[in-house]
Amino acid sequence: MGGVLRRYGPVLTAAILLAVAVWLLLLVVLPQLLMVDFSFRPSLPPSKAGGPEDVYTLRNYATLWTNQIHLAIFLKTIWASSLVTAVTLAVCYPVAFYMAQVAPRRRLPLLVLMLVVPFWINELLRTFAWYIILAFNGPLNALLVGLGIFSEPQRLLGGDAGVIIGMVYVYILFMVFPMMNAMESLDRNQIEAARDLGAGWLRIHRRIVIPHAKPGIAVGCIMTFMLAAGSYAVPALLGGPQSRWFTEVIYNWFFEGGNWNQGAAYAFILLILCVAFILLMMRLFRVGLTDIAK
């Protein structure tokens, strides 16, 4: 804070802090408070609002545990989001390590650009591209049949597989860059010393690289899980009735069922899930908020 004050002066610093405070209050705090208030109230017609029936209740939260279909979708969303996070981590770890420790410095801007440029396109368009790729008569099925892996085209859309593939692609940057940022600060001499002492690549990564990159891995897992659990466009476009996401249920409560109170309760449950996942990652990787903020 002292550095910001010295750099920008008291007037500009005060203006920046005021803008941040207003942004947090209007776009983060107040909507969340309204959502919490809605979630504890029953869904009533306007004529009964503020009347004797308009009292705080846990009925909206209890609905999730009594509705077996919604509970199954909620649990499947947790499992599938965790799977998306694990697959994205497995795909992005070698990419992040190569860019941070192996790639020549002169090639790094080009590699970063190759990763970023596809994401200049809107997320919906990128998801529609995967809809075409995974279609029954799409190029992926044609390639797999041509290679003899499948004897006939398979339905890759309308199930969990298509949704997971789409999400891994959509959120890949949120895993790559935090890990790359953490790995860049690792001294290459430590890796070279370990190799000179006879350590294999698996042991080098397990004993040197991964412990050093724990904050970046934690941030990548947190961001990927939260985005996957809160995604609506990807499961709506690539999924089907058998692969519904919890966000689709929330959307139905708000915009089709007209029950904003029930939708707010479900949304708050999803928020609690994401906070619990953050705490789990911090405990699993033994990192604090200061480490994550780096």
Side-chain angles (χ1 to χ4, degrees):
M1 184 64 188
V4 175
L5 186 62
R6 288 190 299 270
R7 181 174 182 179
Y8 296 107
V11 178
L12 186 55
T13 301
I16 293 174
L17 292 177
L18 179 61
V20 172
V22 171
W23 179 81
L24 288 175
L25 181 65
L26 294 181
L27 299 181
V28 179
V29 177
L30 288 181
Q32 296 298 331
L33 291 177
L34 287 175
M35 184 182 71
V36 173
D37 182 70
F38 266 59
S39 69
F40 285 105
R41 293 181 180 274
S43 180
L44 299 172
S47 59
K48 294 185 178 181
E53 298 180 25
D54 191 6
V55 295
Y56 288 108
T57 176
L58 294 174
R59 186 182 309 166
N60 295 324
Y61 290 90
T63 301
L64 178 62
W65 313 112
T66 57
N67 190 319
Q68 296 301 314
I69 296 178
H70 289 177
L71 181 60
I73 294 174
F74 177 70
L75 296 177
K76 192 213 66 178
T77 300
I78 298 175
W79 170 82
S81 300
S82 302
L83 182 59
V84 168
T85 303
V87 173
T88 308
L89 175 61
V91 171
C92 294
Y93 181 86
V95 176
F97 178 77
Y98 177 81
M99 295 177 64
Q101 293 291 330
V102 180
R105 296 296 95 181
R106 64 181 185 276
R107 294 183 184 176
L108 187 59
L110 177 60
L111 295 175
V112 173
L113 190 63
M114 291 174 62
L115 280 174
V116 172
V117 165
F119 288 82
W120 290 355
I121 303 173
N122 185 273
E123 179 181 338
L124 285 176
L125 295 179
R126 286 185 277 119
T127 305
F128 273 120
W130 274 106
Y131 187 91
I132 297 173
I133 293 172
L134 299 174
F136 186 77
N137 293 320
L140 182 58
N141 261 318
L143 176 63
L144 295 176
V145 171
L147 293 175
I149 299 176
F150 292 154
S151 58
E152 58 183 15
Q154 302 293 315
R155 294 198 176 275
L156 302 175
L157 291 172
D160 292 331
V163 175
I164 291 173
I165 292 173
M167 284 191 177
V168 169
Y169 172 75
V170 169
Y171 303 129
I172 194 171
L173 290 187
F174 296 95
M175 183 70 77
V176 168
F177 286 139
M179 289 196 298
M180 176 184 165
N181 183 57
M183 292 177 183
E184 277 183 332
S185 60
L186 176 62
D187 189 353
R188 295 189 184 184
N189 292 326
Q190 297 185 40
I191 299 176
E192 295 298 329
R195 292 181 62 184
D196 292 341
L197 293 173
W201 277 111
L202 183 61
R203 190 169 187 179
I204 289 174
H205 283 277
R206 182 170 57 88
R207 299 292 297 273
I208 298 176
V209 181
I210 293 178
H212 184 85
K214 284 194 300 183
I217 296 174
V219 171
C221 290
I222 289 170
M223 295 181 67
T224 303
F225 179 88
M226 293 180 65
L227 290 169
S231 176
Y232 175 78
V234 177
L237 293 175
L238 301 182
Q242 302 301 322
S243 61
R244 294 184 68 194
W245 222 250
F246 195 61
T247 48
E248 296 179 86
V249 178
I250 296 174
Y251 178 91
N252 291 338
W253 279 122
F254 272 101
F255 298 104
E256 295 182 9
N259 192 338
W260 286 30
N261 304 84
Q262 187 65 67
Y266 277 22
F268 192 64
I269 291 174
L270 185 61
L271 175 62
I272 294 175
L273 167 65
C274 292
V275 173
F277 185 83
I278 292 174
L279 297 177
L280 176 63
M281 288 296 101
M282 292 173 60
R283 184 176 182 85
L284 180 63
F285 290 100
R286 297 180 181 177
V287 296
L289 291 176
T290 305
D291 300 318
I292 292 177
K294 295 178 181 179

